[in-house]
Structures are given as C-alpha cells and as structure tokens.
Amino acid sequence: MSRAFDVVLWGCTGFTGGLVAEYFASSAPSHIKWALAGRTLSKLENVRSKISKINPACADVQLIQANITDEDSLKAMASQTKVILSTAGPFMICGTPIVKACVENGTNYCDITGETPWIRQLIDRFHDDAVAKKIHIVPACGFDSIPFDIGAYMVAKEAESQGGAKWIKGFAQMKGKPSGGTLHTMLNLMEKVPSSQLGDPHMLDPFEHRQDKIQPKAKDQSLPKYDKALKTWTAPFVMSGVNTRVVRRSSLLYQDANQAYGPDFCYAETEVKKSFLAALVHTIGLGFFLIFSFFRMGRYFLKLVMPSPGSGPSRKERDNSWFKVRFLGETVQGNHLLGTVAGGDPGYTETAKMVSNAAICLVDTEDLPLPGGVLTSASSMGDKLVSRLQDAGMTLKVEPFSP
C-alpha cells in the first residue's frame, strides 16, 4: 500500500489527542510519515507550533482539514494514509463516519474508546467488509483496554506449553484522575444505552458465540471480596464492564482461528484495595455513582461537579500517577502464572503511548496474527504490540507463581 502518510492523527486538538501528537513528535520512528487532522485549521496550526518546540522537524508536519459531516473530506483524508488514529469522542456520537471512511478506502484504524455499545455497532456494520478487505479496525487501544487485553493474551500465550489457560483474572491498581471526557462519555452511555445491554457479557462476542454459557468465574464482581492467592482485598472495578468484553472477544477470535487461549477459557477483573474498609467504601461509592447515572437529575448533578470535557490533569499530576495490573492464571496442567502490565499515568500519558504504538503496529499488517476485521489489540497486534510497549518503557512480563 503506497500512500502519502503512514499515520494521520485525528482529534489532536483535544487534551489526549494533543498528548498523542507530542508522543509522535518525541518518539515516533523516523521512517514513519504522519500528519495532523481535524476540523479547524487554526487549531491544527497551534498543535503543530507546540510540538515543533519538542522536535523542530515537526514544523513541516502536514495538516489535513476534514469534518465528520463532510464525507468527501473524510474520504480524501482516509485515502491518503495507511492508518487513522482517532482520539475524538464521544465515539458513539462522532466516531462512525471516520470508521466508515476507513473501511471504504482500505485504511486501518485505531482509537481510545471504551464505549462497548458503539464497538458492537462497528462489529455488526463493518466486520465482514473489513475481513474481506483485510483491514484492521481496532477500537479500545488506550487504557481501555490494552493493558488488560494484552496482559491476558501474554498469560494465555505462556500457558500454551501446558495445554492452555483455564482461567485468568486481572487485579488492577492505579493512581490517577479520570478525564472530563471519559466521565461525560460514561454518563452519555448511561443515558442512551439500556442497562441490560451495558451489562451483557456477550456484548462483543462474535455472532456464533452470543449464546455461549458464561462461567461463574467470569461474572462481574459486585461486592468486596478477599483473594486468597494474592492475599488482598478487592472491589468491583468500574472498567471491567469494558475490559472483560474486549478480552472475551480476543479469546473467541483466536479460538475461531484455531489458536484458543484454552479449553472453556474465562476471564474476570477486580480492583485491589488495602483493606476490607477501603473495598467497602469503594463499592458503596461506585454504587452511588451508578445509581445517580441512571437518572436524569442525577446525571445533571454529576455534570455540575465533574471536570469538563477536553480538560485533564497537569503534567505534575500525570507524573505522579501510575498503574499496575497483575494477571493470575491457571494452566490446564494445574500450574499458576502471574503476568504484570504496569506503567505511568494511565488515563493520559500511557494512553497516548499505547494508542500511538498501536497505530505504528498497523502501518504494516503483513506480520499480524489475524488478517482483518473489527478486532482487539490482542487479536490484531499480539506480540508485535507487546514488543513495542516494552521498548517504550512499559513493564510487560509473565512469571511462574505459587499461590
């Protein structure tokens, strides 16, 4: 595929998009040809001016003006590049025209959405065409859900020599602030999507697996619980409703490609807490947030006190933030493995790093695990993404473990 650009950054005038542009300016391989794209040329010029202070060569980065209401402009943008990286949400509102342009023009795509109902729409509408054209459409390439999807993938790969993985569970720990855009996106989902759909464990399953039985170990946690293996208290994890669906899709896509994670494989997630009291307080707080989110007046109140979309923490706050996810798994032979994915600020700094490296992986899809479709980070990029993130300074490893 010969095109003017390898990667086009769409949404780079927003907070997270700006961090992606900074990451490309400082860390993208020199052979990668990339451009900035958005609706307002003056804002794009401001971004280019800012990143030129990081890397003077960025003064020559090209700008592409396009609008989601103008199909011709999106076609012109998509036809010039091998990959579009999008950070412009809420994706349920403004993401579909970009993906449509990518599929129609044979362009790979990745983004940072955590909106599983929208991902389901992409699967239903574009998966078959993307498979036929060998295009990789890969949503959820930020903190939703690369650490969890890739972490489970690594443990499952390590378990192959022992008959595969019976089950894997993710244990998340983090320090960091959620973005205004993320919180407002969550409220938008609560408003527009029925709770029964949001709670559907089969949300992202390939069609032929939508009726599969969900094992008890894979059900979403709703109360504080003590984990004897890791000797820690845990609580429901707000992101598990996204990540577990993404990991399940990865495992089923590999299963359908005769590369199953393991017989009757299942995956679950939880959040680590220091004590029972901390787990209880977290559970109650999360419950109140969800209750408020289901009602119009509750959402109105939450919007008054939440950060506004497009806002984010200072560099100092980001520098003091971190995350660590451990993945406990049992092999078919009865042995245990412990995987770790860890890094800095999860919602911004590492999200920019993860989605940027995902886009770079998609520049050349010849050596990727699956040929195309609406995929996940693990099923699309696999070991290639693991290596890139390790080289970028994140911790990704798997070790034997004795509970």
Side-chain angles (χ1 to χ4, degrees):
M1 184 192 298
S2 178
R3 299 200 173 182
F5 306 109
D6 294 311
V7 182
V8 164
L9 311 183
W10 174 259
C12 56
T13 59
F15 189 86
T16 305
L19 295 179
V20 170
E22 291 180 15
Y23 185 85
F24 265 77
S26 64
S27 304
S30 58
H31 68 276
I32 295 293
K33 298 174 292 182
W34 54 282
L36 304 174
R39 183 177 58 186
T40 308
L41 194 59
S42 61
K43 291 183 178 180
L44 292 174
E45 290 171 343
N46 288 339
V47 174
R48 182 169 63 182
S49 176
K50 184 177 180 180
I51 63 175
S52 295
K53 296 175 183 177
I54 300 172
N55 180 353
C58 290
D60 296 326
V61 167
Q62 294 193 42
L63 309 180
I64 300 173
Q65 191 171 18
N67 195 310
I68 60 169
T69 61
D70 182 351
E71 286 195 13
D72 289 339
S73 71
L74 297 182
K75 178 181 178 180
M77 175 176 67
S79 62
Q80 293 183 70
T81 184
K82 297 176 182 178
V83 184
I84 289 181
L85 184 168
S86 177
T87 54
F91 291 86
M92 185 172 281
I93 296 174
C94 54
T96 303
I98 305 295
V99 177
K100 179 175 181 287
C102 286
V103 174
E104 291 177 349
N105 290 277
T107 303
N108 299 313
Y109 168 92
C110 62
D111 66 35
I112 57 170
T113 188
E115 300 160 64
T116 48
W118 180 68
I119 300 174
R120 180 74 249 173
Q121 292 176 16
L122 298 187
I123 294 167
D124 293 341
R125 185 171 175 182
F126 298 117
H127 179 72
D128 289 344
D129 285 346
V131 171
K133 295 183 177 182
K134 297 185 178 181
I135 303 164
H136 288 239
I137 303 298
V138 194
C141 285
F143 190 56
D144 287 341
S145 296
I146 278 182
F148 309 90
D149 193 28
I150 287 293
Y153 165 83
M154 291 192 308
V155 174
K157 286 280 287 185
E158 188 68 21
E160 282 182 354
S161 61
Q162 300 184 47
K166 292 167 63 176
W167 56 265
I168 297 170
K169 187 170 185 177
F171 294 78
Q173 296 171 270
M174 68 196 72
K175 177 187 176 184
K177 291 184 177 180
S179 71
T182 297
L183 293 171
H184 282 264
T185 295
M186 289 175 65
L187 293 186
N188 180 63
L189 286 176
M190 295 293 188
E191 181 179 358
K192 296 179 182 274
V193 180
S195 58
S196 59
Q197 185 179 355
L198 290 174
D200 182 6
H202 297 290
M203 171 79 79
L204 304 183
D205 289 6
F207 179 78
E208 57 272 22
H209 295 282
R210 297 295 303 271
Q211 301 302 317
D212 289 359
K213 182 180 179 182
I214 300 296
Q215 297 184 43
K217 268 187 174 291
K219 292 184 177 178
D220 295 332
Q221 184 172 332
S222 58
L223 295 170
K225 186 178 179 181
Y226 186 76
D227 187 86
K228 294 180 181 179
L230 295 187
K231 299 178 177 60
T232 185
W233 280 98
T234 67
F237 184 34
V238 67
M239 292 172 57
S240 67
V242 178
N243 299 327
T244 56
R245 280 59 170 172
V246 171
V247 173
R248 182 172 166 81
R249 179 166 181 79
S250 294
S251 68
L252 292 172
L253 288 170
Y254 273 118
Q255 178 180 316
D256 291 345
N258 296 316
Q259 302 174 53
Y261 281 8
D264 299 321
F265 171 80
C266 66
Y267 175 79
E269 263 176 26
T270 189
E271 185 167 351
V272 172
K273 294 297 174 183
K274 292 182 179 180
S275 65
F276 168 73
L277 181 60
L280 181 62
V281 169
H282 174 92
T283 303
I284 293 172
L286 179 58
F288 272 111
F289 176 81
L290 293 175
I291 291 170
F292 269 71
S293 301
F294 279 118
F295 298 99
R296 181 179 298 176
M297 286 301 297
R299 290 192 294 270
Y300 174 78
F301 172 77
L302 289 172
K303 288 177 181 179
L304 291 178
V305 300
M306 291 190 318
S308 60
S311 64
S314 66
R315 181 175 295 275
K316 182 178 180 181
E317 288 175 312
R318 297 198 307 273
D319 288 344
N320 290 325
S321 299
W322 55 270
F323 80 91
K324 179 180 180 181
V325 189
R326 289 174 292 173
F327 298 87
L328 181 62
E330 183 182 1
T331 70
V332 170
Q333 293 181 5
N335 297 314
H336 289 82
L337 299 168
L338 188 67
T340 302
V341 178
D345 167 54
Y348 300 97
T349 306
E350 301 297 58
T351 282
K353 181 185 293 182
M354 288 184 278
V355 73
S356 296
N357 281 285
I360 293 167
C361 286
L362 293 176
V363 171
D364 181 4
T365 59
E366 291 297 320
D367 57 347
L368 297 183
L370 299 181
V374 178
L375 304 173
T376 61
S377 58
S379 61
S380 169
M381 294 165 256
D383 292 342
K384 187 175 182 179
L385 182 57
V386 172
S387 295
R388 283 211 62 85
L389 294 179
Q390 288 172 330
D391 291 343
M394 288 178 60
T395 297
L396 297 94
K397 63 182 181 180
V398 181
E399 302 169 315
F401 180 75
S402 297

PDB file of all heavy atoms in Angstrom, residues 216-234:
ATOM      1  N   PRO A 216     -19.237 -19.133  36.086  1.00  0.00           N
ATOM      2  CA  PRO A 216     -19.300 -18.333  37.329  1.00  0.00           C
ATOM      3  C   PRO A 216     -18.057 -17.503  37.572  1.00  0.00           C
ATOM      4  O   PRO A 216     -18.144 -16.367  38.046  1.00  0.00           O
ATOM      5  CB  PRO A 216     -19.484 -19.405  38.412  1.00  0.00           C
ATOM      6  CG  PRO A 216     -20.173 -20.538  37.710  1.00  0.00           C
ATOM      7  CD  PRO A 216     -19.612 -20.538  36.319  1.00  0.00           C
ATOM      8  N   LYS A 217     -16.879 -18.050  37.255  1.00  0.00           N
ATOM      9  CA  LYS A 217     -15.627 -17.309  37.465  1.00  0.00           C
ATOM     10  C   LYS A 217     -15.543 -16.051  36.618  1.00  0.00           C
ATOM     11  O   LYS A 217     -14.756 -15.139  36.926  1.00  0.00           O
ATOM     12  CB  LYS A 217     -14.434 -18.210  37.120  1.00  0.00           C
ATOM     13  CG  LYS A 217     -13.858 -18.988  38.299  1.00  0.00           C
ATOM     14  CD  LYS A 217     -12.599 -19.707  37.869  1.00  0.00           C
ATOM     15  CE  LYS A 217     -11.895 -20.384  39.049  1.00  0.00           C
ATOM     16  NZ  LYS A 217     -11.313 -19.429  39.983  1.00  0.00           N
ATOM     17  N   ALA A 218     -16.311 -15.972  35.537  1.00  0.00           N
ATOM     18  CA  ALA A 218     -16.228 -14.845  34.614  1.00  0.00           C
ATOM     19  C   ALA A 218     -17.273 -13.771  34.889  1.00  0.00           C
ATOM     20  O   ALA A 218     -17.306 -12.751  34.200  1.00  0.00           O
ATOM     21  CB  ALA A 218     -16.375 -15.343  33.178  1.00  0.00           C
ATOM     22  N   LYS A 219     -18.137 -13.971  35.874  1.00  0.00           N
ATOM     23  CA  LYS A 219     -19.185 -12.991  36.149  1.00  0.00           C
ATOM     24  C   LYS A 219     -18.610 -11.749  36.827  1.00  0.00           C
ATOM     25  O   LYS A 219     -17.647 -11.816  37.588  1.00  0.00           O
ATOM     26  CB  LYS A 219     -20.276 -13.620  37.013  1.00  0.00           C
ATOM     27  CG  LYS A 219     -21.058 -14.691  36.260  1.00  0.00           C
ATOM     28  CD  LYS A 219     -22.197 -15.252  37.093  1.00  0.00           C
ATOM     29  CE  LYS A 219     -23.003 -16.277  36.275  1.00  0.00           C
ATOM     30  NZ  LYS A 219     -24.097 -16.877  37.058  1.00  0.00           N
ATOM     31  N   ASP A 220     -19.196 -10.585  36.527  1.00  0.00           N
ATOM     32  CA  ASP A 220     -18.709  -9.329  37.074  1.00  0.00           C
ATOM     33  C   ASP A 220     -18.849  -9.301  38.592  1.00  0.00           C
ATOM     34  O   ASP A 220     -19.893  -9.677  39.139  1.00  0.00           O
ATOM     35  CB  ASP A 220     -19.485  -8.152  36.476  1.00  0.00           C
ATOM     36  CG  ASP A 220     -19.258  -8.008  34.970  1.00  0.00           C
ATOM     37  OD1 ASP A 220     -18.185  -8.411  34.498  1.00  0.00           O
ATOM     38  OD2 ASP A 220     -20.160  -7.487  34.290  1.00  0.00           O
ATOM     39  N   GLN A 221     -17.823  -8.847  39.271  1.00  0.00           N
ATOM     40  CA  GLN A 221     -17.841  -8.744  40.725  1.00  0.00           C
ATOM     41  C   GLN A 221     -18.715  -7.577  41.158  1.00  0.00           C
ATOM     42  O   GLN A 221     -18.681  -6.496  40.569  1.00  0.00           O
ATOM     43  CB  GLN A 221     -16.407  -8.540  41.244  1.00  0.00           C
ATOM     44  CG  GLN A 221     -16.285  -8.508  42.758  1.00  0.00           C
ATOM     45  CD  GLN A 221     -14.838  -8.499  43.217  1.00  0.00           C
ATOM     46  OE1 GLN A 221     -13.960  -9.006  42.521  1.00  0.00           O
ATOM     47  NE2 GLN A 221     -14.577  -7.923  44.376  1.00  0.00           N
ATOM     48  N   SER A 222     -19.516  -7.776  42.219  1.00  0.00           N
ATOM     49  CA  SER A 222     -20.417  -6.719  42.683  1.00  0.00           C
ATOM     50  C   SER A 222     -20.214  -6.347  44.151  1.00  0.00           C
ATOM     51  O   SER A 222     -20.778  -5.357  44.615  1.00  0.00           O
ATOM     52  CB  SER A 222     -21.875  -7.151  42.472  1.00  0.00           C
ATOM     53  OG  SER A 222     -22.147  -8.368  43.165  1.00  0.00           O
ATOM     54  N   LEU A 223     -19.412  -7.124  44.883  1.00  0.00           N
ATOM     55  CA  LEU A 223     -19.204  -6.888  46.316  1.00  0.00           C
ATOM     56  C   LEU A 223     -17.718  -7.008  46.668  1.00  0.00           C
ATOM     57  O   LEU A 223     -16.943  -7.592  45.908  1.00  0.00           O
ATOM     58  CB  LEU A 223     -20.009  -7.905  47.138  1.00  0.00           C
ATOM     59  CG  LEU A 223     -21.533  -7.847  47.038  1.00  0.00           C
ATOM     60  CD1 LEU A 223     -22.142  -9.065  47.714  1.00  0.00           C
ATOM     61  CD2 LEU A 223     -22.072  -6.560  47.653  1.00  0.00           C
ATOM     62  N   PRO A 224     -17.298  -6.464  47.829  1.00  0.00           N
ATOM     63  CA  PRO A 224     -15.922  -6.671  48.276  1.00  0.00           C
ATOM     64  C   PRO A 224     -15.626  -8.162  48.435  1.00  0.00           C
ATOM     65  O   PRO A 224     -16.496  -8.938  48.819  1.00  0.00           O
ATOM     66  CB  PRO A 224     -15.877  -5.956  49.629  1.00  0.00           C
ATOM     67  CG  PRO A 224     -16.970  -4.959  49.579  1.00  0.00           C
ATOM     68  CD  PRO A 224     -18.052  -5.588  48.753  1.00  0.00           C
ATOM     69  N   LYS A 225     -14.392  -8.540  48.153  1.00  0.00           N
ATOM     70  CA  LYS A 225     -14.027  -9.951  48.225  1.00  0.00           C
ATOM     71  C   LYS A 225     -12.534 -10.071  48.545  1.00  0.00           C
ATOM     72  O   LYS A 225     -11.725  -9.285  48.054  1.00  0.00           O
ATOM     73  CB  LYS A 225     -14.336 -10.634  46.884  1.00  0.00           C
ATOM     74  CG  LYS A 225     -14.125 -12.138  46.870  1.00  0.00           C
ATOM     75  CD  LYS A 225     -14.520 -12.708  45.506  1.00  0.00           C
ATOM     76  CE  LYS A 225     -14.305 -14.214  45.459  1.00  0.00           C
ATOM     77  NZ  LYS A 225     -14.670 -14.778  44.138  1.00  0.00           N
ATOM     78  N   TYR A 226     -12.191 -11.076  49.359  1.00  0.00           N
ATOM     79  CA  TYR A 226     -10.785 -11.314  49.686  1.00  0.00           C
ATOM     80  C   TYR A 226     -10.231 -12.381  48.752  1.00  0.00           C
ATOM     81  O   TYR A 226     -10.826 -13.446  48.592  1.00  0.00           O
ATOM     82  CB  TYR A 226     -10.630 -11.769  51.134  1.00  0.00           C
ATOM     83  CG  TYR A 226      -9.191 -11.894  51.582  1.00  0.00           C
ATOM     84  CD1 TYR A 226      -8.445 -10.763  51.877  1.00  0.00           C
ATOM     85  CD2 TYR A 226      -8.579 -13.141  51.683  1.00  0.00           C
ATOM     86  CE1 TYR A 226      -7.115 -10.860  52.270  1.00  0.00           C
ATOM     87  CE2 TYR A 226      -7.248 -13.251  52.082  1.00  0.00           C
ATOM     88  CZ  TYR A 226      -6.524 -12.099  52.371  1.00  0.00           C
ATOM     89  OH  TYR A 226      -5.215 -12.195  52.762  1.00  0.00           O
ATOM     90  N   ASP A 227      -9.087 -12.072  48.130  1.00  0.00           N
ATOM     91  CA  ASP A 227      -8.448 -13.054  47.255  1.00  0.00           C
ATOM     92  C   ASP A 227      -7.329 -13.750  48.012  1.00  0.00           C
ATOM     93  O   ASP A 227      -6.342 -13.113  48.422  1.00  0.00           O
ATOM     94  CB  ASP A 227      -7.882 -12.371  46.004  1.00  0.00           C
ATOM     95  CG  ASP A 227      -7.368 -13.391  45.005  1.00  0.00           C
ATOM     96  OD1 ASP A 227      -8.161 -13.888  44.196  1.00  0.00           O
ATOM     97  OD2 ASP A 227      -6.155 -13.695  45.064  1.00  0.00           O
ATOM     98  N   LYS A 228      -7.477 -15.048  48.202  1.00  0.00           N
ATOM     99  CA  LYS A 228      -6.512 -15.810  48.997  1.00  0.00           C
ATOM    100  C   LYS A 228      -5.182 -15.980  48.268  1.00  0.00           C
ATOM    101  O   LYS A 228      -4.124 -16.012  48.907  1.00  0.00           O
ATOM    102  CB  LYS A 228      -7.101 -17.181  49.339  1.00  0.00           C
ATOM    103  CG  LYS A 228      -8.313 -17.120  50.263  1.00  0.00           C
ATOM    104  CD  LYS A 228      -8.843 -18.522  50.554  1.00  0.00           C
ATOM    105  CE  LYS A 228     -10.066 -18.467  51.461  1.00  0.00           C
ATOM    106  NZ  LYS A 228     -10.622 -19.828  51.731  1.00  0.00           N
ATOM    107  N   ALA A 229      -5.206 -16.098  46.960  1.00  0.00           N
ATOM    108  CA  ALA A 229      -3.968 -16.329  46.213  1.00  0.00           C
ATOM    109  C   ALA A 229      -3.032 -15.122  46.305  1.00  0.00           C
ATOM    110  O   ALA A 229      -1.830 -15.272  46.555  1.00  0.00           O
ATOM    111  CB  ALA A 229      -4.277 -16.645  44.754  1.00  0.00           C
ATOM    112  N   LEU A 230      -3.569 -13.925  46.089  1.00  0.00           N
ATOM    113  CA  LEU A 230      -2.741 -12.724  46.149  1.00  0.00           C
ATOM    114  C   LEU A 230      -2.796 -12.040  47.511  1.00  0.00           C
ATOM    115  O   LEU A 230      -2.170 -11.000  47.702  1.00  0.00           O
ATOM    116  CB  LEU A 230      -3.157 -11.743  45.052  1.00  0.00           C
ATOM    117  CG  LEU A 230      -2.920 -12.213  43.614  1.00  0.00           C
ATOM    118  CD1 LEU A 230      -3.222 -11.098  42.629  1.00  0.00           C
ATOM    119  CD2 LEU A 230      -1.485 -12.702  43.420  1.00  0.00           C
ATOM    120  N   LYS A 231      -3.590 -12.620  48.424  1.00  0.00           N
ATOM    121  CA  LYS A 231      -3.674 -12.119  49.805  1.00  0.00           C
ATOM    122  C   LYS A 231      -4.014 -10.630  49.849  1.00  0.00           C
ATOM    123  O   LYS A 231      -3.314  -9.811  50.471  1.00  0.00           O
ATOM    124  CB  LYS A 231      -2.366 -12.396  50.550  1.00  0.00           C
ATOM    125  CG  LYS A 231      -2.018 -13.874  50.662  1.00  0.00           C
ATOM    126  CD  LYS A 231      -0.694 -14.092  51.371  1.00  0.00           C
ATOM    127  CE  LYS A 231      -0.392 -15.589  51.556  1.00  0.00           C
ATOM    128  NZ  LYS A 231      -0.310 -16.312  50.281  1.00  0.00           N
ATOM    129  N   THR A 232      -5.120 -10.278  49.204  1.00  0.00           N
ATOM    130  CA  THR A 232      -5.520  -8.877  49.157  1.00  0.00           C
ATOM    131  C   THR A 232      -7.033  -8.744  49.063  1.00  0.00           C
ATOM    132  O   THR A 232      -7.715  -9.642  48.546  1.00  0.00           O
ATOM    133  CB  THR A 232      -4.873  -8.174  47.955  1.00  0.00           C
ATOM    134  OG1 THR A 232      -5.190  -6.781  47.997  1.00  0.00           O
ATOM    135  CG2 THR A 232      -5.378  -8.736  46.632  1.00  0.00           C
ATOM    136  N   TRP A 233      -7.547  -7.640  49.593  1.00  0.00           N
ATOM    137  CA  TRP A 233      -8.962  -7.326  49.419  1.00  0.00           C
ATOM    138  C   TRP A 233      -9.188  -6.723  48.041  1.00  0.00           C
ATOM    139  O   TRP A 233      -8.314  -6.030  47.495  1.00  0.00           O
ATOM    140  CB  TRP A 233      -9.446  -6.357  50.494  1.00  0.00           C
ATOM    141  CG  TRP A 233      -9.735  -7.051  51.794  1.00  0.00           C
ATOM    142  CD1 TRP A 233      -8.926  -7.149  52.891  1.00  0.00           C
ATOM    143  CD2 TRP A 233     -10.934  -7.769  52.104  1.00  0.00           C
ATOM    144  NE1 TRP A 233      -9.534  -7.885  53.875  1.00  0.00           N
ATOM    145  CE2 TRP A 233     -10.778  -8.283  53.418  1.00  0.00           C
ATOM    146  CE3 TRP A 233     -12.125  -8.047  51.421  1.00  0.00           C
ATOM    147  CZ2 TRP A 233     -11.760  -9.042  54.052  1.00  0.00           C
ATOM    148  CZ3 TRP A 233     -13.102  -8.798  52.036  1.00  0.00           C
ATOM    149  CH2 TRP A 233     -12.914  -9.290  53.337  1.00  0.00           C
ATOM    150  N   THR A 234     -10.343  -7.007  47.470  1.00  0.00           N
ATOM    151  CA  THR A 234     -10.685  -6.492  46.153  1.00  0.00           C
ATOM    152  C   THR A 234     -12.091  -5.916  46.155  1.00  0.00           C
ATOM    153  O   THR A 234     -12.900  -6.218  47.029  1.00  0.00           O
ATOM    154  CB  THR A 234     -10.594  -7.586  45.079  1.00  0.00           C
ATOM    155  OG1 THR A 234     -11.627  -8.569  45.319  1.00  0.00           O
ATOM    156  CG2 THR A 234      -9.234  -8.267  45.091  1.00  0.00           C
TER     157      THR A 234
END
